[in-house]
């Protein structure tokens, strides 16, 4: 069969039909689709949970909310009572600054090979072989970049009320 990704240049003669080798290929295709769907839902749920949790913690600590602030009673949203306050503007600017600082730091660490387990310090390149150190670095850098994104989004979101 000639396909888009086929490297073969032979043509399929009339009457020749390609049959799946067995039911296994159909079952494998179904399993792959199901696997992709499950991972998409799982990763999407984890991303939204991280995003909302980080935003809530930033709001709780930046506007001195009570310890009982939750999403259920609506007290977690910082400055929901006064959207034009100077405290909200200052919090948004600080959030934006922290977000850009975290993003630049994460990008710098990534460019130095910190994320991939490569040490480029002191003018030489060394591969770190310990997988636990490499895994820790990857997770740490991912969290730095993710928090940077949340801080930037929060800062821009709150500053949009002043436009």
């Amino acid at each position: 069969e000639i396909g888009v990704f086929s490297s073969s240049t032979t043509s399929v003669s009339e009457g020749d039909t390609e049959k799946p080798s067995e039911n296994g290929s159909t079952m494998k295709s179904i399993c792959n689709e199901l696997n992709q769907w499950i991972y998409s839902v799982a990763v999407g749920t984890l991303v939204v949970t991280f995003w909302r949790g980080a935003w809530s913690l930033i709001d709780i600590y930046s506007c001195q909310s009570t310890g009982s602030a939750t999403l259920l009673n609506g007290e977690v949203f910082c400055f929901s009572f006064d959207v034009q306050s100077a405290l909200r503007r200052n919090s948004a600017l600080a959030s934006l600054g922290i977000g850009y600082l975290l993003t630049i730091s994460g990008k710098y660490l990534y460019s130095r090979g910190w994320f991939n387990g490569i040490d480029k310090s002191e003018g030489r390149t060394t591969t770190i072989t310990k997988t636990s150190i490499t895994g820790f670095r990857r997770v740490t850098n991912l969290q730095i970049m993710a928090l940077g994104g949340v801080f930037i989004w929060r800062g821009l979101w709150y500053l949009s009320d002043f436009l």
Side-chain angles (χ1 to χ4, degrees):
E1 179 178 339
I2 298 176
V4 176
F5 300 105
S6 175
S7 62
S8 172
T9 56
T10 61
S11 63
V12 177
S13 63
E14 232 178 275
D16 287 344
T17 57
E18 190 165 324
K19 297 178 184 175
S21 60
E22 290 181 26
N23 247 355
S25 64
T26 304
M27 185 57 113
K28 185 176 180 182
S29 176
I30 292 171
C31 286
N32 283 340
E33 289 295 322
L34 184 62
N35 189 27
Q36 288 177 2
W37 185 82
I38 289 171
Y39 277 110
S40 295
V41 170
V43 169
T45 302
L46 292 173
V47 166
V48 170
T49 302
F50 174 83
W51 188 274
R52 187 63 212 141
W55 187 301
S56 297
L57 288 174
I58 295 167
D59 275 356
I60 287 170
Y61 289 112
S62 68
C63 65
Q64 296 85 28
S65 293
T66 62
S68 64
T70 66
L71 289 173
L72 297 176
N73 62 12
E75 291 179 17
V76 76
F77 299 106
C78 201
F79 315 114
S80 59
F81 51 90
D82 185 14
V83 295
Q84 293 294 322
S85 70
L87 182 61
R88 181 178 177 134
R89 187 186 69 247
N90 293 340
S91 176
L93 290 171
S95 184
L96 200 58
I98 291 169
Y100 283 127
L101 181 67
L102 286 172
T103 303
I104 290 168
S105 299
K107 180 63 180 158
Y108 174 77
L109 291 174
Y110 182 80
S111 70
R112 298 290 297 161
W114 201 75
F115 179 77
N116 298 321
I118 299 171
D119 187 13
K120 294 182 181 177
S121 60
E122 301 175 11
R124 63 174 188 225
T125 302
T126 320
T127 303
I128 299 171
T129 56
K130 295 193 175 197
T131 57
S132 60
I133 292 173
T134 304
F136 173 76
R137 286 180 168 189
R138 287 180 179 174
V139 169
T140 302
N141 200 28
L142 177 66
Q143 289 177 346
I144 289 170
M145 297 292 283
L147 281 174
V150 174
F151 271 102
I152 290 170
W153 186 284
R154 180 183 180 273
L156 292 174
W157 186 267
Y158 283 157
L159 283 176
S160 69
D161 290 331
F162 293 95
L163 297 177

